[in-house]
Amino acid sequence: MQLFENSLTVTNTITANTVTGIIVATPGTAPALASDPGQTGEIRIDDNFIYVKTPSGDWKKATLGNLV
């Protein structure tokens, strides 16, 4: 197992069973339809939602709210 104590930049794909620490998602193109292509587990964000590609093949989204 490889441990990184500072930072790791990846420009391709990482497959992992467990991830600990902080993950920063780069804002990208939000899926327009639940059936848009993507890889299971893929995460996308925009200003209002977080999107996750589920094992069933659909994109699911959750609303992002402001901290109060």
Side-chain angles (χ1 to χ4, degrees), residues 19-30:
V19 177
T20 58
I22 297 170
I23 298 173
V24 178
T26 302
T29 304

Side-chain angles (χ1 to χ4, degrees), residues 7-55:
S7 66
L8 170 67
T9 301
V10 177
T11 56
N12 207 330
T13 301
I14 292 180
T15 302
N17 293 326
T18 304
V19 177
T20 58
I22 297 170
I23 298 173
V24 178
T26 302
T29 304
L33 301 170
S35 60
D36 277 3
Q39 293 185 342
T40 298
E42 183 177 343
I43 299 171
R44 299 182 188 179
I45 60 172
D46 64 19
D47 285 341
N48 300 304
F49 299 99
I50 183 168
Y51 305 84
V52 179
K53 185 72 166 181
T54 65

Side-chain angles (χ1 to χ4, degrees), residues 1-6 20:
M1 178 169 68
Q2 179 83 32
L3 297 176
F4 297 91
E5 296 196 15
N6 291 314
T20 58

